[in-house]
Amino acid sequence: MVTGGQRNDGAMLTEVLADIRVPRLGPGRPRTRPDAVVADRAYSTGVNRRELSRRGIRAVIPQKKDEIAARKRKGPTGGRPPSLDTETYKGRNVVERSFALAKQWRGLATRYDKLAITYRAAVILCACLAWLRSL
């Protein structure tokens, strides 16, 4: 999903989850629900956590420091902190390195393209070239 360069990615989580289609090895419909969503602190909003919980998806997202402070200020009424699977979260670096590789392309990093279809084509071309280098 390609959005405007100035658009907050966290606002698009619902649309991204709706577009997930993972084919099965055998017959049957493709999977539409991941086991977990691993994301950085920018996705740690209550709206995103509720959406993931509603769909039965485990959220592996650390809390922002201001959220932790607000919960502690409330004392016993602040509730429990959400759980964080640190081992699963450590795997997030693979995705971050992929983004860093894509941002070596100046046009992708600065978002020169005016049309979303052109930008998306550049992202796909970058991914194909990275995949070919890995063979």
Side-chain angles (χ1 to χ4, degrees):
M1 173 151 308
V2 179
T3 63
Q6 74 283 0
R7 182 85 191 258
N8 176 9
D9 294 338
M12 301 304 293
L13 181 67
T14 306
E15 287 83 3
V16 170
L17 289 174
D19 283 349
I20 292 176
R21 300 285 181 270
V22 180
R24 297 188 187 271
L25 295 176
R29 294 186 328 220
R31 285 184 51 191
T32 58
R33 191 180 74 189
D35 296 328
V37 168
V38 182
D40 63 357
R41 285 182 168 88
Y43 290 86
S44 180
T45 63
V47 173
N48 288 342
R49 289 187 185 276
R50 281 190 295 278
E51 176 65 19
L52 293 172
S53 176
R54 184 184 71 76
R55 293 190 60 179
I57 301 170
R58 190 168 45 104
V60 183
I61 307 170
Q63 273 195 306
K64 295 179 186 174
K65 290 182 171 75
D66 63 336
E67 289 176 356
I68 295 170
R71 190 182 68 250
K72 287 183 178 178
R73 259 195 322 274
K74 291 180 182 178
T77 59
R80 292 186 313 198
S83 63
L84 175 66
D85 183 359
T86 54
E87 288 303 311
T88 303
Y89 188 72
K90 287 178 184 176
R92 190 176 142 260
N93 75 77
V94 176
V95 175
E96 292 297 327
R97 285 184 288 153
S98 299
F99 279 113
L101 179 68
K103 286 186 176 184
Q104 288 180 359
W105 285 32
R106 189 168 149 195
L108 291 178
T110 55
R111 187 78 192 262
Y112 285 137
D113 298 312
K114 299 218 182 298
L115 298 176
I117 193 165
T118 310
Y119 183 76
R120 186 173 186 272
V123 170
I124 291 171
L125 180 61
C126 178
C128 289
L129 291 174
W131 177 67
L132 286 172
R133 277 190 220 123
S134 69
L135 294 179

